[in-house]
Amino acid sequence: MALDAETRDHLIETVRRFVAERLRPIEAQVAENDAVPDDILAEMRALGLYGLTIPEEYGGLDLSMEDECLVGIELGRTSPAFRSAFGTNVGIGSQGLVMFGTAEQKQKWLPGIASGELVTSFALTEPEAGSDSASVQTRATRDGDVYVLNGAKRYITNANKAGLFTVMARTNPDVRGGGGVSAFLVPRDLPGLSIGKPEKKMGQQGAHICDVIFDNVRVPVANRLGGEGEGFKVAMQVLDRGRLHISSVCIGVAERLIADCVAYASERKQFGQPIAAFQLIQGMIADSKTEAMAARALTLESARKRDSGQNVTLEAAASKYYASEMVGRVADRAVQIFGGAGYVADYGIERLYRDVRIFRIYEGTSQIQQVVIARETMKRGG
Ligand code: COS
């Protein structure tokens, strides 16, 4: 649901101030400790960030896709690890339930997700099912009024904090591909479910990804999300939304880096003048600005299309593809403009350079976005 303009502006201003005053000052500390402090998580809960996209009747803000993207851009102006703390609740961890859950399922879990008491994770990826996500091997075998889950998921964001997982598992081994897959809501405390250690990663320290292992986990039939065999489509529709969200975060990081570049280039003097006076520096700033503006326009236009009820599989893939590649180029130019200062840790530029690398990989690699864009374009006839 779209907020009225005044409420939306107030929300964006509140998030902007929170990012500037509370998050940016501790970016380096969060990276160093590989953890977001508890008091900051509590403030995020109090601000309603965990429930941005959850329907109002369950305690959330029910943001439209466009408003979610505008908030995502603000959150992008700091280390992406902060957003990740509640990102799964807002996106891939909750949207299957929001879009396909029964009234009982929603009543049971959405209030906790909206308040942030309950952290959620999206468990699709497996060791042998990454880009080829329809080939999941985790099995869900029906046994009376439960499904018995066996298998392993990989690189699952927030798994170490999650109380509830949306798990895609194969219910029909005779059907290859997505048609044999179903989705389940799996509480963390079911016997047989265990979580691996957080992986050591290139960037986004403070955000965690872990394996999730299912060893004869008995999940009630009532926890199935959608019909049997519909799990892959649930996952794909969740990702259509998630990809727009990630695009907005890419745009925020790019805009932050451009502002950092302008500030640094205006102060840093070489050859007797600020380096901002040199046209080769200006060329890099111009390229970054133009591309960030293009990503913003594409993403917000795609979000508005989704809000008007249109299918945005192509638009979400195109936004994610362009925005994630764009922020990679912007971060690379930022290191170049900062020179040696961009390569050492003190200025935080090298940290953001590492942080943004994952945007081209998770929620679908750039190559998968290209496949989706080409297929959809051919389907639409151009
Ligand atoms: N919305 C609704 N339905 C969709 C859909 C979408 N966005 N995308 C695919 N489907 C449907 C198709 O219509 C098809 O339905 P039918 O069998 O009824 O025709 C079914 O799902 C299978 O789709 P498709 O044939 O395109 O599957 P493929 O295995 O060829 O390809 C890709 C699917 C590659 C697009 C998919 O596996 C993908 O997005 N991979 C990347 C996964 C990813 O993002 N991982 C990150 C993990 S989450 S952090």
Side-chain angles (χ1 to χ4, degrees), residues 40 44 50 59 78-79 108 113 117 172 248:
I40 293 291
M44 288 172 171
Y50 285 79
T78 184
S79 165
K108 188 166 180 184
I113 295 173
E117 241 164 87
N172 189 343
S248 74

Side-chain angles (χ1 to χ4, degrees), residues 92 122 124-125 130-134 232-233 236-237 239-240 243 313 363-364 368 372 375:
I92 54 177
F122 180 74
L124 172 64
T125 300
S131 287
D132 184 9
S133 56
F232 184 70
K233 289 185 189 176
M236 289 299 111
Q237 286 179 54
L239 285 170
D240 281 350
R243 287 169 182 167
T313 299
E363 299 202 22
I368 287 297
V372 173
R375 279 186 191 176

Side-chain angles (χ1 to χ4, degrees), residues 61-196:
L61 289 174
D62 202 9
L63 294 191
S64 67
M65 192 73 240
E66 184 184 13
D67 289 348
E68 180 187 342
C69 286
L70 290 169
V71 173
I73 291 173
E74 295 307 320
L75 292 162
R77 297 187 205 283
T78 184
S79 165
F82 291 113
R83 182 215 61 94
S84 199
F86 57 87
T88 46
N89 275 38
V90 167
I92 54 177
S94 70
Q95 291 306 303
L97 177 52
V98 169
M99 289 191 263
F100 301 99
T102 63
E104 293 75 32
Q105 290 170 340
K106 290 182 183 180
Q107 194 53 54
K108 188 166 180 184
W109 286 297
L110 285 180
I113 295 173
S115 70
E117 241 164 87
L118 182 65
V119 172
T120 57
S121 274
F122 180 74
L124 172 64
T125 300
E126 299 181 357
E128 302 304 326
S131 287
D132 184 9
S133 56
S135 70
V136 292
Q137 292 169 9
T138 295
R139 280 296 315 273
T141 311
R142 182 84 184 243
D143 179 17
D145 57 1
V146 299
Y147 286 91
V148 184
L149 265 62
N150 280 290
K153 296 291 176 178
R154 177 141 295 171
Y155 306 147
I156 304 304
T157 301
N158 284 338
N160 51 339
K161 306 266 171 59
L164 184 69
F165 295 86
T166 302
V167 180
M168 269 51 67
R170 188 163 300 281
T171 37
N172 189 343
D174 300 327
V175 177
R176 288 186 49 182
V181 173
S182 305
F184 298 92
L185 295 160
V186 182
R188 163 73 183 94
D189 53 10
L190 290 186
L193 193 159
S194 56
I195 311 291

